[in-house]
Amino acid sequence: MKYIQFFCLVSTIVFCSCRFASINKLEEAFTTAGDNAIELEKVITHFSKDKRLSQYLDAAKYIVENIPGHISMDDANYLAYSKQLKAMTMPIEIDELNKVWTGADIHYSHDVNQVESKFLIQDIEDAFRIRDSVPWGRTIPFDVFKEYVLPYKVRQEALVPGWRITLYNKYKHVVQGIADPKEAFATLLNYLKEHTRKTNFNFSGDVDPLTMDHIRMGACSHLSVYYVAVLRALGLPAAYEYIDRWGNFSVNGHSWISYIGEKERTYTIANGDSVLRTMNPIDASMFKEHYDPHHEDFNISRWKKVYKIYRYTYQLLLNDQYAHLEQSGTHKKDVSPYYGLNGTIDLNASGYAYASLSFFKTGEDWQEFVFAKTGGGTVSFDGLADSIVYLPTFYKNGQKKEIGRPFYIDYDNKIVWLAPHLSDTDTLILRRKYPLFGHWPAMWRQMKGVKIEVSDTEDFRNPTNIHTIKETPMGLLSFEAKPAIMARYVRYICPPESRTAVAEFKFFDEQDEEISIAEAMGYGIKDTVSLAFDKNGLTSVSTKAGEAWIGARLEEAAKRIARVEILPKNDGNFIDAGDRYHLYYFDSEWISLGEQVAASNLLTYKNAPRGALFLLKNLSKGREERVFTMEEGRQVWW
């Protein structure tokens, strides 16, 4: 699907051959349409016949002049996929859904070159007909109506005739008797969420709203397109909001929807709420489960951070993000200030033409996301988040000339620069290569009360308890059996309320050599119990409700158990003994502090410059890696 991503990026940036400032947007649309210009002209002509319908004509012009840059699926593979999905009886399991799509490439066409006048005319008329049918229709400001109700599509989904009136007729009963548009929006959105399921499946493109209305399941991007389409079909102003990636978490982005009021006032519904409000937390930015034991070795976070927030617009905008390019049209709008991202920075850019800001892309490197032209020797960026590390870069004559210092904006809106002090070094003790979020300790907390028992008999008639977990383990738990004890059978007994999955369960003799097992055993197990003994920290065994235990028959009964290790289910980002790591610090580029093979679950690096921004890579496995600083001996993640 790399083709799709590349095509979408190019179509967002490079679709217009001239600057917008000097050319009428409507004429530019006709020019860009080529042979299809006649279809666009038919739309304008149709609504020019009756002067009483001036708003219809204004709306038609808005649709046509902003159509350049929009692309839609125009593909036989997708049509066959949609047809097959609609023929299936729902609901179905995700495994069944994934069997439908074959993974073929999808073809996209520019709407300006292929959309038919009949489709646009009918959709515009449907939008006005619905506006006159709902009680809030004419209370929506016309400029808001044109951008957030009128468009014939949401993003890049296939064009489907009749989608608007079909969805209106199906869902108008949900808001019957409601006159206030915000109340109607919240009521309908909550209804849709109750009747849909969020899950990832193997089709990464946008699914058209009528197909989505049948399957009612998908990733956040699928559901957001669907929700916006249904809400707009009821005459409610809805926007598709998104982040390309989280700023401190994962390799994925996220999308959600908002209600747009007068002067683009933006409202959302927070989790657990039923009322539209401004300045809500970013959707899905907080883990539902969270526990911070305030451990001295770990800096634990509950929040996923964002570096910028965007809106997919229908309107064709002048794109300041690519101010250094000749082609500067986009359907991507920075709406960060609407969500409380109000950080600003002015940088000295004397002698440079323009500058960029980058954020650190998880598992990769810096990625530029915004450009700005210089003026008066300075360059300014706004709409920035706190607690995100940004990197400025300066350009002259189209070439990268200077990389600046990384910085972040603290909670008091102060700029903090990250500069290594090469003459002032420290010894670092590293425990992870990626942030530890509070949903993991929340899971591990349930291990409190677990008992480790040994026995000479398989039925554990007369067991000996060698350990009870009394504190929340932070990843790997290791304890000594004092005194070392001879045993043939060992088990991990879950308390009734504990359901923490176990990734690894290991036993060591008095020479600290691992004792092999002859047989994995268990009771009340959901998965294959051998997964707890497969030497793979990313597989795990879960237990069922009620009485449950995970155990083993040891192969060498002549050896005493002196130590036990228990690794709960985890993200695989702790330091793993035997893996090779490489530590870097940033000073205009990533500079090596050397490679090490971990001998334990800690890494020690000497002579690291204080004040630096660091990056630890696992060269053996995994790609979740993020930048960090050191504060009071702990890794602080960005």
Side-chain angles (χ1 to χ4, degrees):
M1 304 293 281
K2 291 182 179 178
Y3 164 77
I4 297 175
Q5 295 172 351
F6 176 77
F7 189 95
C8 293
L9 176 62
V10 172
S11 66
T12 303
I13 303 173
V14 188
F15 57 79
C16 177
S17 61
C18 302
R19 293 179 181 272
F20 292 97
S22 61
I23 297 180
N24 180 277
K25 288 176 69 176
L26 194 60
E27 289 302 320
E28 176 62 23
F30 292 146
T31 301
T32 306
D35 292 343
N36 200 52
I38 189 171
E39 291 295 310
L40 301 184
E41 291 168 355
K42 286 179 182 178
V43 177
I44 303 301
T45 301
H46 176 83
F47 291 109
S48 300
K49 295 175 182 178
D50 191 340
K51 293 184 179 180
R52 294 173 298 175
L53 302 178
S54 59
Q55 278 198 336
Y56 283 67
L57 178 58
D58 190 0
K61 288 180 179 178
Y62 190 82
I63 290 296
V64 172
E65 69 185 13
N66 289 294
I67 204 170
H70 285 293
I71 61 173
S72 300
M73 291 181 195
D74 179 23
D75 186 84
N77 290 326
Y78 175 75
L79 293 178
Y81 176 61
S82 172
K83 183 177 181 181
Q84 190 171 348
L85 287 177
K86 290 178 180 178
M88 300 175 74
T89 301
M90 298 292 164
I92 60 173
E93 295 300 319
I94 187 65
D95 291 342
E96 289 299 309
L97 182 61
N98 283 335
K99 292 176 182 178
V100 182
W101 178 243
T102 61
D105 283 339
I106 298 175
H107 180 262
Y108 288 80
S109 292
H110 286 273
D111 295 356
V112 71
N113 301 124
Q114 60 103 23
V115 71
E116 296 180 356
S117 57
K118 180 180 178 181
F119 171 81
L120 291 180
I121 290 169
Q122 185 62 58
D123 193 68
I124 292 169
E125 289 180 343
D126 286 345
F128 276 92
R129 189 176 299 113
I130 292 168
R131 187 184 73 152
D132 292 338
S133 300
V134 294
W136 52 81
R138 291 189 174 274
T139 69
I140 306 299
F142 192 58
D143 60 331
V144 174
F145 170 81
K146 287 192 297 183
E147 176 63 23
Y148 299 108
V149 178
L150 178 67
Y152 59 88
K153 58 183 289 187
V154 178
R155 211 166 66 137
Q156 295 166 355
E157 67 273 21
L159 305 184
V160 182
W163 68 270
R164 191 187 299 269
I165 200 68
T166 300
L167 295 175
Y168 169 75
N169 286 330
K170 182 171 182 177
Y171 291 105
K172 61 184 179 181
H173 74 280
V174 178
V175 292
Q176 188 172 0
I178 300 175
D180 179 76
K182 293 191 186 70
E183 183 183 352
F185 185 102
T187 300
L188 181 52
L189 179 56
N190 285 329
Y191 177 89
L192 294 172
K193 288 183 175 181
E194 289 172 3
H195 291 81
T196 51
R197 178 158 59 103
K198 183 178 289 187
T199 181
N200 292 320
F201 63 98
N202 65 347
F203 185 80
S204 61
D206 294 332
V207 180
D208 74 84
L210 295 188
T211 302
M212 278 298 299
D213 192 54
H214 182 70
I215 65 174
R216 296 190 183 187
M217 59 192 297
C220 59
S221 58
H222 299 118
L223 293 174
S224 294
V225 168
Y226 171 59
Y227 295 158
V228 170
V230 176
L231 289 159
R232 289 180 178 177
L234 274 292
L236 295 163
Y240 182 102
E241 319 279 58
Y242 68 99
I243 55 173
D244 292 318
R245 286 204 180 200
W246 292 104
N248 66 337
F249 171 77
S250 177
V251 296
N252 300 316
H254 183 59
S255 60
W256 64 96
I257 71 170
S258 64
Y259 175 95
I260 308 301
E262 190 173 1
K263 296 182 180 179
E264 299 232 337
R265 191 168 175 82
T266 299
Y267 300 80
T268 59
I269 300 178
N271 287 334
D273 201 354
S274 59
V275 178
L276 286 166
R277 307 180 195 277
T278 60
M279 294 296 176
N280 273 323
I282 307 302
D283 184 72
S285 62
M286 182 177 70
F287 287 98
K288 293 180 181 179
E289 299 295 328
H290 175 77
Y291 175 61
D292 185 355
H294 301 288
H295 196 281
E296 62 181 359
D297 295 331
F298 296 96
N299 181 48
I300 296 173
S301 176
R302 184 172 193 170
W303 295 93
K304 306 173 199 173
K305 293 286 188 175
V306 298
Y307 64 92
K308 273 289 182 183
I309 302 171
Y310 299 105
R311 175 173 298 162
Y312 193 90
T313 66
Y314 183 77
Q315 185 182 19
L316 187 58
L317 302 169
L318 180 65
N319 192 359
D320 292 334
Q321 293 182 53
Y322 296 94
H324 61 300
L325 299 177
E326 289 296 315
Q327 297 84 10
S328 54
T330 184
H331 294 284
K332 181 178 185 177
K333 181 178 182 178
D334 181 358
V335 293
S336 303
Y338 299 164
Y339 289 88
L341 276 65
N342 295 312
T344 62
I345 189 168
D346 298 320
L347 299 170
N348 183 357
S350 180
Y352 296 103
Y354 59 92
S356 72
L357 286 184
S358 299
F359 75 103
F360 186 83
K361 191 174 180 180
T362 297
E364 298 183 34
D365 206 339
W366 300 106
Q367 177 173 302
E368 292 173 310
F369 67 91
V370 63
F371 293 82
K373 293 180 179 179
T374 62
T378 63
V379 64
S380 299
F381 296 97
D382 57 18
L384 303 180
D386 65 70
S387 306
I388 292 287
V389 172
Y390 297 101
L391 178 69
T393 303
F394 303 91
Y395 289 81
K396 183 188 295 184
N397 299 324
Q399 299 295 319
K400 186 183 296 185
K401 292 297 182 181
E402 181 183 345
I403 296 177
R405 294 281 188 202
F407 70 90
Y408 67 88
I409 301 172
D410 68 13
Y411 291 117
D412 295 322
N413 208 32
K414 295 179 181 178
I415 307 297
V416 179
W417 297 96
L418 300 174
H421 305 302
L422 301 181
S423 60
D424 184 11
T425 62
D426 197 4
T427 296
L428 310 186
I429 297 176
L430 309 180
R431 292 173 168 81
R432 286 179 60 86
K433 64 184 182 70
Y434 185 77
L436 179 59
F437 290 91
H439 65 294
W440 289 112
M443 179 191 299
W444 302 332
R445 178 170 54 174
Q446 298 181 52
M447 295 173 68
K448 292 166 68 173
V450 163
K451 295 181 179 180
I452 310 301
E453 293 184 345
V454 299
S455 176
D456 291 328
T457 60
E458 184 176 355
D459 60 4
F460 287 85
R461 277 197 307 272
N462 297 299
T464 299
N465 179 20
I466 62 170
H467 188 76
T468 299
I469 299 177
K470 297 180 179 180
E471 302 292 335
T472 299
M474 298 301 289
L476 179 67
L477 171 66
S478 176
F479 67 88
E480 295 181 359
K482 294 184 178 180
I485 188 167
M486 189 80 72
R488 190 66 190 276
Y489 298 92
V490 188
R491 68 178 180 178
Y492 168 110
I493 304 178
C494 301
E497 67 277 7
S498 173
R499 289 295 168 265
T500 298
V502 174
E504 288 295 302
F505 193 18
K506 295 180 179 180
F507 323 103
F508 298 84
D509 63 19
E510 291 168 292
Q511 284 69 49
D512 210 34
E513 294 181 358
E514 186 173 352
I515 302 173
S516 300
I517 70 165
E519 179 187 5
M521 307 165 59
Y523 178 81
I525 303 299
K526 284 184 178 181
D527 311 291
T528 304
V529 70
S530 61
L531 293 176
F533 305 95
D534 65 354
K535 304 186 187 303
N536 184 349
L538 295 178
T539 61
S540 59
V541 178
S542 299
T543 57
K544 299 177 183 177
E547 184 180 353
W549 56 268
I550 299 165
R553 176 168 61 87
L554 303 185
E555 197 168 77
E556 302 175 53
K559 291 191 175 182
R560 297 176 183 274
I561 298 174
R563 188 170 66 87
V564 176
E565 285 186 358
I566 304 166
L567 180 66
K569 182 178 179 180
N570 66 96
D571 61 0
N573 289 311
F574 287 97
I575 303 304
D576 200 352
D579 284 0
R580 180 174 291 275
Y581 293 86
H582 197 155
L583 180 65
Y584 302 85
Y585 72 92
F586 193 80
D587 191 8
S588 297
E589 61 181 348
W590 290 111
I591 299 173
S592 173
L593 283 169
E595 294 185 14
Q596 286 190 33
V597 175
S600 68
N601 61 346
L602 299 177
L603 283 175
T604 301
Y605 276 88
K606 298 180 179 179
N607 300 317
R610 294 180 186 270
L613 184 69
F614 298 99
L615 174 65
L616 181 65
K617 286 184 171 288
N618 186 329
L619 304 181
S620 301
K621 62 177 182 286
R623 57 187 292 244
E624 286 188 329
E625 295 145 352
R626 285 214 59 82
V627 293
F628 63 94
T629 53
M630 297 297 296
E631 295 181 15
E632 299 180 349
R634 295 196 307 178
Q635 292 171 275
V636 176
W637 299 95
W638 304 96

PDB file of all heavy atoms in Angstrom, residues 14 81 137 146 152 225 240 273 288 298 333 399 510 583 593:
ATOM      1  N   VAL A  14       1.161  18.598  -4.798  1.00  0.00           N
ATOM      2  CA  VAL A  14       1.548  18.976  -6.157  1.00  0.00           C
ATOM      3  C   VAL A  14       0.417  18.696  -7.131  1.00  0.00           C
ATOM      4  O   VAL A  14       0.404  17.691  -7.807  1.00  0.00           O
ATOM      5  CB  VAL A  14       2.820  18.228  -6.596  1.00  0.00           C
ATOM      6  CG1 VAL A  14       3.315  18.756  -7.917  1.00  0.00           C
ATOM      7  CG2 VAL A  14       3.893  18.350  -5.551  1.00  0.00           C
ATOM      8  N   TYR A  81     -14.815  -5.248  -3.845  1.00  0.00           N
ATOM      9  CA  TYR A  81     -14.691  -5.388  -2.392  1.00  0.00           C
ATOM     10  C   TYR A  81     -15.946  -4.883  -1.699  1.00  0.00           C
ATOM     11  O   TYR A  81     -16.528  -5.560  -0.837  1.00  0.00           O
ATOM     12  CB  TYR A  81     -13.467  -4.599  -1.953  1.00  0.00           C
ATOM     13  CG  TYR A  81     -13.210  -4.547  -0.469  1.00  0.00           C
ATOM     14  CD1 TYR A  81     -12.972  -5.701   0.262  1.00  0.00           C
ATOM     15  CD2 TYR A  81     -13.149  -3.322   0.203  1.00  0.00           C
ATOM     16  CE1 TYR A  81     -12.696  -5.644   1.625  1.00  0.00           C
ATOM     17  CE2 TYR A  81     -12.870  -3.249   1.553  1.00  0.00           C
ATOM     18  CZ  TYR A  81     -12.642  -4.416   2.260  1.00  0.00           C
ATOM     19  OH  TYR A  81     -12.366  -4.355   3.599  1.00  0.00           O
ATOM     20  N   GLY A 137     -31.596  23.696  10.247  1.00  0.00           N
ATOM     21  CA  GLY A 137     -30.955  23.896   8.953  1.00  0.00           C
ATOM     22  C   GLY A 137     -30.515  25.311   8.682  1.00  0.00           C
ATOM     23  O   GLY A 137     -29.342  25.557   8.347  1.00  0.00           O
ATOM     24  N   LYS A 146     -21.333  25.608   3.841  1.00  0.00           N
ATOM     25  CA  LYS A 146     -20.613  25.288   2.599  1.00  0.00           C
ATOM     26  C   LYS A 146     -19.417  24.374   2.858  1.00  0.00           C
ATOM     27  O   LYS A 146     -19.138  23.482   2.056  1.00  0.00           O
ATOM     28  CB  LYS A 146     -20.139  26.585   1.920  1.00  0.00           C
ATOM     29  CG  LYS A 146     -21.252  27.386   1.267  1.00  0.00           C
ATOM     30  CD  LYS A 146     -20.702  28.477   0.373  1.00  0.00           C
ATOM     31  CE  LYS A 146     -19.904  29.510   1.129  1.00  0.00           C
ATOM     32  NZ  LYS A 146     -19.434  30.601   0.247  1.00  0.00           N
ATOM     33  N   TYR A 152     -19.486  16.902  -1.188  1.00  0.00           N
ATOM     34  CA  TYR A 152     -20.016  15.639  -1.715  1.00  0.00           C
ATOM     35  C   TYR A 152     -19.239  14.432  -1.194  1.00  0.00           C
ATOM     36  O   TYR A 152     -19.592  13.288  -1.496  1.00  0.00           O
ATOM     37  CB  TYR A 152     -19.972  15.660  -3.247  1.00  0.00           C
ATOM     38  CG  TYR A 152     -18.589  15.854  -3.822  1.00  0.00           C
ATOM     39  CD1 TYR A 152     -17.758  14.775  -4.076  1.00  0.00           C
ATOM     40  CD2 TYR A 152     -18.110  17.144  -4.087  1.00  0.00           C
ATOM     41  CE1 TYR A 152     -16.482  14.963  -4.585  1.00  0.00           C
ATOM     42  CE2 TYR A 152     -16.839  17.336  -4.597  1.00  0.00           C
ATOM     43  CZ  TYR A 152     -16.019  16.241  -4.846  1.00  0.00           C
ATOM     44  OH  TYR A 152     -14.755  16.429  -5.341  1.00  0.00           O
ATOM     45  N   VAL A 225     -14.604   8.991   8.911  1.00  0.00           N
ATOM     46  CA  VAL A 225     -15.205   9.317   7.611  1.00  0.00           C
ATOM     47  C   VAL A 225     -16.697   9.015   7.632  1.00  0.00           C
ATOM     48  O   VAL A 225     -17.538   9.808   7.178  1.00  0.00           O
ATOM     49  CB  VAL A 225     -14.506   8.547   6.476  1.00  0.00           C
ATOM     50  CG1 VAL A 225     -15.296   8.652   5.174  1.00  0.00           C
ATOM     51  CG2 VAL A 225     -13.091   9.069   6.267  1.00  0.00           C
ATOM     52  N   TYR A 240     -13.491  16.444   9.926  1.00  0.00           N
ATOM     53  CA  TYR A 240     -12.582  15.316  10.128  1.00  0.00           C
ATOM     54  C   TYR A 240     -11.265  15.878  10.649  1.00  0.00           C
ATOM     55  O   TYR A 240     -10.554  16.575   9.945  1.00  0.00           O
ATOM     56  CB  TYR A 240     -12.376  14.587   8.803  1.00  0.00           C
ATOM     57  CG  TYR A 240     -11.485  13.363   8.850  1.00  0.00           C
ATOM     58  CD1 TYR A 240     -12.025  12.082   8.845  1.00  0.00           C
ATOM     59  CD2 TYR A 240     -10.096  13.485   8.859  1.00  0.00           C
ATOM     60  CE1 TYR A 240     -11.205  10.960   8.861  1.00  0.00           C
ATOM     61  CE2 TYR A 240      -9.279  12.368   8.875  1.00  0.00           C
ATOM     62  CZ  TYR A 240      -9.837  11.110   8.880  1.00  0.00           C
ATOM     63  OH  TYR A 240      -9.023   9.995   8.888  1.00  0.00           O
ATOM     64  N   ASP A 273     -18.742  11.590  28.177  1.00  0.00           N
ATOM     65  CA  ASP A 273     -19.596  12.773  28.210  1.00  0.00           C
ATOM     66  C   ASP A 273     -20.676  12.638  27.138  1.00  0.00           C
ATOM     67  O   ASP A 273     -20.585  11.809  26.234  1.00  0.00           O
ATOM     68  CB  ASP A 273     -18.759  14.026  27.956  1.00  0.00           C
ATOM     69  CG  ASP A 273     -19.435  15.304  28.462  1.00  0.00           C
ATOM     70  OD1 ASP A 273     -20.596  15.223  28.903  1.00  0.00           O
ATOM     71  OD2 ASP A 273     -18.793  16.365  28.403  1.00  0.00           O
ATOM     72  N   LYS A 288      -7.117   4.767  29.303  1.00  0.00           N
ATOM     73  CA  LYS A 288      -8.221   4.564  30.248  1.00  0.00           C
ATOM     74  C   LYS A 288      -7.710   3.983  31.565  1.00  0.00           C
ATOM     75  O   LYS A 288      -8.126   4.383  32.642  1.00  0.00           O
ATOM     76  CB  LYS A 288      -9.269   3.650  29.623  1.00  0.00           C
ATOM     77  CG  LYS A 288      -9.996   4.260  28.440  1.00  0.00           C
ATOM     78  CD  LYS A 288     -11.034   3.290  27.867  1.00  0.00           C
ATOM     79  CE  LYS A 288     -11.742   3.906  26.678  1.00  0.00           C
ATOM     80  NZ  LYS A 288     -12.735   2.979  26.085  1.00  0.00           N
ATOM     81  N   PHE A 298      11.493   5.116  37.312  1.00  0.00           N
ATOM     82  CA  PHE A 298      10.717   5.273  36.084  1.00  0.00           C
ATOM     83  C   PHE A 298       9.885   6.547  36.109  1.00  0.00           C
ATOM     84  O   PHE A 298       9.251   6.875  37.115  1.00  0.00           O
ATOM     85  CB  PHE A 298       9.793   4.072  35.865  1.00  0.00           C
ATOM     86  CG  PHE A 298      10.524   2.777  35.657  1.00  0.00           C
ATOM     87  CD1 PHE A 298      10.736   1.905  36.714  1.00  0.00           C
ATOM     88  CD2 PHE A 298      11.018   2.443  34.402  1.00  0.00           C
ATOM     89  CE1 PHE A 298      11.416   0.717  36.527  1.00  0.00           C
ATOM     90  CE2 PHE A 298      11.694   1.258  34.205  1.00  0.00           C
ATOM     91  CZ  PHE A 298      11.903   0.382  35.265  1.00  0.00           C
ATOM     92  N   LYS A 333      -5.551  21.717   7.013  1.00  0.00           N
ATOM     93  CA  LYS A 333      -5.550  22.950   7.787  1.00  0.00           C
ATOM     94  C   LYS A 333      -5.045  22.697   9.200  1.00  0.00           C
ATOM     95  O   LYS A 333      -5.461  21.754   9.869  1.00  0.00           O
ATOM     96  CB  LYS A 333      -6.969  23.530   7.850  1.00  0.00           C
ATOM     97  CG  LYS A 333      -7.083  24.836   8.622  1.00  0.00           C
ATOM     98  CD  LYS A 333      -8.500  25.365   8.588  1.00  0.00           C
ATOM     99  CE  LYS A 333      -8.611  26.689   9.328  1.00  0.00           C
ATOM    100  NZ  LYS A 333      -9.980  27.256   9.263  1.00  0.00           N
ATOM    101  N   GLN A 399      18.568  24.948  -0.188  1.00  0.00           N
ATOM    102  CA  GLN A 399      19.428  23.927   0.397  1.00  0.00           C
ATOM    103  C   GLN A 399      19.443  24.051   1.921  1.00  0.00           C
ATOM    104  O   GLN A 399      19.421  25.148   2.474  1.00  0.00           O
ATOM    105  CB  GLN A 399      20.853  24.067  -0.135  1.00  0.00           C
ATOM    106  CG  GLN A 399      20.978  23.908  -1.639  1.00  0.00           C
ATOM    107  CD  GLN A 399      20.632  22.513  -2.103  1.00  0.00           C
ATOM    108  OE1 GLN A 399      21.001  21.520  -1.475  1.00  0.00           O
ATOM    109  NE2 GLN A 399      19.893  22.429  -3.207  1.00  0.00           N
ATOM    110  N   GLU A 510      21.547 -22.714  42.066  1.00  0.00           N
ATOM    111  CA  GLU A 510      22.449 -21.966  42.951  1.00  0.00           C
ATOM    112  C   GLU A 510      23.658 -21.395  42.221  1.00  0.00           C
ATOM    113  O   GLU A 510      24.351 -20.535  42.751  1.00  0.00           O
ATOM    114  CB  GLU A 510      22.901 -22.882  44.097  1.00  0.00           C
ATOM    115  CG  GLU A 510      21.739 -23.194  45.058  1.00  0.00           C
ATOM    116  CD  GLU A 510      22.056 -24.318  46.020  1.00  0.00           C
ATOM    117  OE1 GLU A 510      22.192 -25.473  45.566  1.00  0.00           O
ATOM    118  OE2 GLU A 510      22.162 -24.025  47.236  1.00  0.00           O
ATOM    119  N   LEU A 583      23.752   3.821  21.832  1.00  0.00           N
ATOM    120  CA  LEU A 583      23.297   5.081  22.416  1.00  0.00           C
ATOM    121  C   LEU A 583      23.890   6.253  21.631  1.00  0.00           C
ATOM    122  O   LEU A 583      25.071   6.255  21.287  1.00  0.00           O
ATOM    123  CB  LEU A 583      23.726   5.181  23.883  1.00  0.00           C
ATOM    124  CG  LEU A 583      23.306   6.475  24.611  1.00  0.00           C
ATOM    125  CD1 LEU A 583      21.801   6.581  24.733  1.00  0.00           C
ATOM    126  CD2 LEU A 583      23.967   6.543  25.993  1.00  0.00           C
ATOM    127  N   LEU A 593      27.632   7.248  21.248  1.00  0.00           N
ATOM    128  CA  LEU A 593      28.274   7.004  22.535  1.00  0.00           C
ATOM    129  C   LEU A 593      28.635   5.536  22.696  1.00  0.00           C
ATOM    130  O   LEU A 593      28.989   5.089  23.791  1.00  0.00           O
ATOM    131  CB  LEU A 593      27.361   7.472  23.680  1.00  0.00           C
ATOM    132  CG  LEU A 593      27.318   8.983  23.907  1.00  0.00           C
ATOM    133  CD1 LEU A 593      26.210   9.361  24.860  1.00  0.00           C
ATOM    134  CD2 LEU A 593      28.659   9.508  24.410  1.00  0.00           C
TER     135      LEU A 593
END
